[in-house]
Amino acid sequence: MRRIVLVLFAWSPCRVCAAEPPVDFSRDALPVLSDYCFQCHGPDANARKAKLRFDDKSVPFDRGVIVPGKPKESAFIDRITSTDPEMVMPPPSLKRKLSAQQIDALKGWVEQGAKWTTHWAFDPIAKPDGKSIDNFVWARLTREGLKPSPPADKERLLRRVTFDLTGLPPTIAEIDAFVKDDAANAYEKVVDRLLASPRYGERMAGEWLDIARFADTHGYQFDRARPVWPYRDWVISAYNHNLPFNDFTTWQLAGDLLPNATQEQRLATAFNRLHMQNEEGGIVEEEFRVAYVNDRVTTFGTAFLGLTFECSRCHDHKFDPISQKDYYSLFAFFQNIDESGQTSYFTAATPVPALLLTTEMQDKKIAELRAAIEEKRRAMTALTFQSQAAFLKWKRPEKLESPGLVASYKFKELKNGKVENKADPKTPGSAVEGPKVEAEGVSLSGENGFTFLGIGHFTRDDPFSLSVRVKPTREMKRAVLVHHSQAPIDAGSRGYELLIENGRVAFGLHHMWPGNSLKVRTKATIPVNQWTRITATYDGSSTAAGVKLYLDNKPVEVNVIRDKLTKDITYGGEPNLALGYRFRDNGFKNGLVDELKVWNREVTSAEIVPNATDDLLFLYFLSTVHEPSMKAAEELRSARKAYTAFINSIPEIMVMDEMPSPKPAFILKRGAYDAPGDRVTADTPKVLPPFPKDAPRNRLGLAKWLTDPGSPLLARVTVNRAWQMMFGRGLVETADNFGTQGARPTHPELLDWLARDFSGASPGRQPGESWDMKRLIKLIAMSATYRQSSRSSAELLARDPHNELLARGPVKRLTAEMLRDQAIASSGLLVEKLGGPSVKPYQPAGLWEEIAMGRPRYDQGKGDDLYRRSLYTFWKRTVPPPSMTTFDAADRSVCSVKRQSTSTPLQALVLLNDTQFVEAARFVGQRMVKEGGATDEARVSWAFRLVTSRTPSDKERVVLLKLFAEQKSLFEKDPAAAKKLLAVGDKAADATLPAADLAAATVLANVLFNHDEAVMRR
């Protein structure tokens, strides 16, 4: 076998004598066509010129533009080789000239028959021959005449894999144990230990939160906080429990649609809601609702397909076969939730739809409270039957009284801007902006009306009724009659309201419109230029069935618009009841109002309709006369209030909650929210495999389509990101773009082998091994390719500067989180608490106040909060953590699958001066003095090893000793400087240790944090 190998190598130089290798369309021709031709002759029909396209084989072939095998007869070749500026393509005006190599590739492709294939990423995943990562890498190196590098030394390898799998450095004890372990499986034991650590879930979550655009604030104008950290906890748990990646994907896309969906599965769908949410007053709600859905489509495309769908929002994609229709067909999957494009400014309501984040104990308590409500309701029903005899004995009055009237205003006269309350003179109404009293009533402008202090402060559990006489003078699309709220969209309509909508009367109670509301609307319209008495009654049940509407004292049929009120309608500090106008809403313009009445009970039909029947009188009797029934009704209300009080205290998180019927979807012309074109239905891009016939046309069906092992993209995209995490660069460098403008895989066979292995499509795989993320990470970590030394010769570095050929181990700078976490872990300050709310560690004082709108205050954390892992740092979108952004943390406003890695002077300044790093250096120094040994030489060596994970060389040790001695001498001469340095940070130093020694050790540790081996992972 050895002789055969030698013969092959002996023949390898003569490969130049062989026939020209075939030109691969996908590898050699398509990228050139995409870069230079598709802009004018590609998928976008609107931008296409001369009705010629090069993304579709039939057009250039049928028109004779390309004649397979005959480049001299092909107008295509004639145009790209022409020297005539009027004929050459691309035209000189585009300033994009083909190189000689590109022209040769296209000529060779035509000459060899112009074989046409699809773009590699859209092809089914291949079945390459190979048994390991190293088979593919070594084969490529052999073809390139290269050899792999030797294995990395144990110290560097342990540091590399520990950072890559946990995001934290190894301890000295872990280094010693690994160096001493001579067993053949010593390294595998390390990998298994790291994968079993809860730190692994935190490390993986850090990668995923960039993709999920996770942040602790909404973004936009005021960028207010939103508590979405339970989603982060779910991600950590999912990775630690090795949730299969197909389930990880499905739960996030469509957990709410799974049969008998659990709280955990529904919580996962918060992934789709982590986009920015706008609370700015004056925006167009529909514009931003559309923006949110656009974000979901773009994130879906980037995270799971590796495609730039955002390029087809306004027109067909200019480079990839993704049409605008494809885009809005995907859009149709993601818009079917009952949400608003504007979140509430006046309340802290969670944007709807939302999920109650209950514990098991809370669930038990809720069940008990619901049972108590049901018990009271049944008791009331039973009492209804038992009270028939009492009703028959009741002496009916000639005129029914209507108890519970708390307000009765007639707008015939104003005295000092006040209108008298006939039911309670102590609470008059106040005119606002000069409503005009006329003979018939009061005339309103739409911007004026009345407020009623202390009237109508009802909760969702309180029965109440309203009655008002109105006379509209024109058709009204929308007009506010009576409301108890601060604003419509700006407050999520929190409260209750009586409106005119398209000539119909609507009544609603809202916690957060539209997803946490109840609302009904009359089927009949009210007449124009006629008086109509509108009466609305509500029974305190939080259901649409508990609302009745009457027009001119006659009950009317209603349509239920919403029936999902689950939390209270109050603010804490209640607004006044108001008539005729509302902040940022359409008032009752040019309308007349005659009287307004408010009751603190549900007025019965017998009190409203003329000639009440016995059945209606019986209900009146129960409500106002029969003491046992009245007591039972009050007990039912008390039970409901107890339930609401408990529910109100439970936090929520925004999630997906599919509507019963999908919203209509349209192609939006040029992407404009208000320019609908052709209607579309939920579907997937035509260039990809068809949507399963047996799958529902919703997000669950989409997830089934996506996670099918036959899908060409999900497995490829996912294993590529795993490779990128371990090597710093994916097999496809453009992890966010697998389209024709993206990079080709450096090792296509390896990419497909990993993808098939990961998705379970490889032969011999056990069912439980499919989509196993820990198995994938271990497979990469255990490869000899990954374990190579990162040392490189000048020749190899010049030939392959980016290590595309994988002839050496990976080198990459630590991430922003790793640099900070390394410092606090090395110092011994790290608090390893898994999960929980975000924390606010050190940052420059006044930063939020200076930059963020509204001058919010950054309340720096205390104690443990200062030393949690960076994963838990509070992320404000408009002012993200400055030290993190300095080290290239992702912009969490959009989905990001790859961070850039820069090197700037500001980064060194952060490591040298940031409070977090200086304090960490103090405690590395303190550990050095206390734990490092008896001599300065031993101590500086120990500190170097603590921070860099390896033993210093003799030369390095000399430099460290000199630095420590110099600094110690300086601090002995300047005790005030030592005291000042040792006071940085909240945690006090050990006062029993010599200050000069501690200060000198601090400086040494600070320098070590800036050392190449502390900043880089080699």
Side-chain angles (χ1 to χ4, degrees), residues 475-478 500-505 522 524-527:
E475 296 285 348
M476 291 188 169
K477 184 177 181 180
R478 176 183 173 89
I500 294 176
E501 295 181 336
N502 294 315
R504 294 169 175 82
V505 176
T522 62
T525 59
I526 62 173

Side-chain angles (χ1 to χ4, degrees), residues 965-1001:
E966 288 175 347
Q967 293 298 312
K968 182 178 178 180
S969 175
L970 289 171
F971 284 118
E972 285 175 338
K973 297 174 183 177
D974 190 355
K979 183 179 180 180
K980 182 178 179 181
L981 178 60
L982 297 177
V984 175
D986 279 14
K987 203 170 186 69
D990 187 340
T992 64
L993 299 175
D997 289 57
L998 275 182

Side-chain angles (χ1 to χ4, degrees), residues 455-466:
I455 299 296
H457 295 335
F458 303 120
T459 72
R460 72 175 179 131
D461 305 305
D462 296 323
F464 66 94
S465 304
L466 304 172

Side-chain angles (χ1 to χ4, degrees), residues 646-895:
F646 187 73
I647 288 290
N648 284 344
S649 66
I650 298 173
E652 296 176 298
I653 189 170
M654 49 191 179
V655 293
M656 301 294 277
D657 187 15
E658 194 81 352
M659 299 177 72
S661 299
K663 296 178 181 178
F666 304 88
I667 294 174
L668 299 181
K669 299 173 185 177
R670 299 195 62 79
Y673 74 95
D674 57 353
D678 294 339
R679 187 162 181 172
V680 295
T681 57
D683 205 355
T684 46
K686 299 305 180 209
V687 70
L688 297 173
F691 196 82
K693 292 181 179 179
D694 60 341
R697 291 278 172 171
N698 57 23
R699 285 175 285 110
L700 186 57
L702 181 65
K704 182 178 180 180
W705 168 83
L706 177 67
T707 57
D708 188 293
S711 170
L713 286 171
L714 179 63
R716 280 174 173 149
V717 167
T718 305
V719 300
N720 186 66
R721 281 203 303 265
W723 192 274
Q724 175 183 273
M725 185 185 86
M726 301 291 280
F727 282 85
R729 176 191 178 100
L731 293 169
V732 178
E733 183 187 8
T734 53
D736 60 341
N737 189 358
F738 275 46
T740 59
Q741 287 286 292
R744 281 189 54 82
T746 57
H747 297 71
E749 296 86 1
L750 172 57
L751 178 67
D752 279 7
W753 182 83
L754 284 170
R756 290 185 64 82
D757 184 79
F758 179 58
S759 66
S762 296
R765 292 292 304 280
Q766 299 300 314
E769 294 178 337
S770 299
W771 303 102
D772 187 331
M773 184 59 72
K774 285 190 176 182
R775 184 181 182 277
L776 171 64
I777 298 299
K778 181 176 179 179
L779 189 67
I780 297 172
M782 291 299 298
S783 69
T785 302
Y786 175 79
R787 289 182 284 155
Q788 294 177 99
S789 170
S790 62
R791 294 180 181 273
S792 177
S793 66
E795 180 184 358
L796 178 58
L797 194 62
R799 179 174 174 182
D800 185 17
H802 302 299
N803 198 25
E804 293 182 26
L805 300 176
L806 301 171
R808 59 186 184 273
V811 176
K812 59 182 181 179
R813 197 201 67 208
L814 297 183
T815 66
E817 294 89 341
M818 288 177 183
L819 286 165
R820 178 179 174 273
D821 293 351
Q822 171 183 246
I824 56 178
S826 301
S827 69
L829 295 173
L830 179 64
V831 175
E832 295 205 63
K833 173 186 174 185
L834 198 67
S838 297
V839 296
K840 295 176 180 174
Y842 303 113
Q843 77 169 30
L847 197 62
W848 280 18
E849 292 89 334
E850 182 177 343
I851 297 176
M853 190 167 183
R855 298 182 60 83
R857 180 179 175 181
Y858 182 83
D859 295 318
Q860 181 180 295
K862 302 291 183 184
D864 289 354
D865 284 2
L866 296 173
Y867 312 110
R868 298 284 306 282
R869 288 194 68 168
S870 302
L871 176 72
Y872 302 108
T873 296
F874 189 93
W875 196 279
K876 185 174 179 66
R877 279 191 161 116
T878 53
V879 194
S883 63
M884 304 267 271
T885 54
T886 301
F887 284 99
D888 308 311
D891 178 0
R892 292 283 182 81
S893 297
V894 295
C895 171

Side-chain angles (χ1 to χ4, degrees), residues 331-461:
F331 183 101
F333 285 108
F334 289 101
Q335 71 163 347
N336 300 316
I337 62 171
D338 205 11
E339 67 179 327
S340 171
Q342 182 175 343
T343 192
S344 176
Y345 173 80
F346 288 112
T347 76
T350 300
V352 289
L355 171 69
L356 278 178
L357 295 171
T358 55
T359 63
E360 287 186 14
M361 290 186 64
Q362 287 173 327
D363 286 334
K364 183 179 179 181
K365 179 66 174 177
I366 288 171
E368 292 173 355
L369 291 169
R370 284 176 173 166
I373 291 172
E374 181 61 18
E375 180 185 348
K376 297 299 182 184
R377 190 194 63 78
R378 288 179 178 175
M380 191 171 171
T381 301
L383 197 58
T384 299
F385 291 106
Q386 298 167 14
S387 59
Q388 291 283 351
F391 172 65
L392 294 175
K393 294 178 182 179
W394 174 51
K395 185 177 180 181
R396 305 178 191 183
E398 292 184 7
K399 182 179 180 181
L400 297 181
E401 294 184 0
S402 191
L405 184 67
V406 296
S408 178
Y409 303 97
K410 287 184 178 292
F411 302 98
K412 301 294 187 183
E413 182 182 14
L414 288 179
K415 293 182 179 180
N416 298 320
K418 303 289 185 181
V419 59
E420 182 184 4
N421 182 355
K422 300 289 187 181
D424 180 8
K426 297 190 297 294
T427 54
S430 300
V432 177
E433 297 290 335
K436 185 178 180 182
V437 176
E438 298 183 358
E440 290 186 282
V442 65
S443 176
L444 303 176
S445 68
E447 300 296 331
N448 60 16
F450 293 85
T451 60
F452 308 97
L453 181 65
I455 299 296
H457 295 335
F458 303 120
T459 72
R460 72 175 179 131
D461 305 305

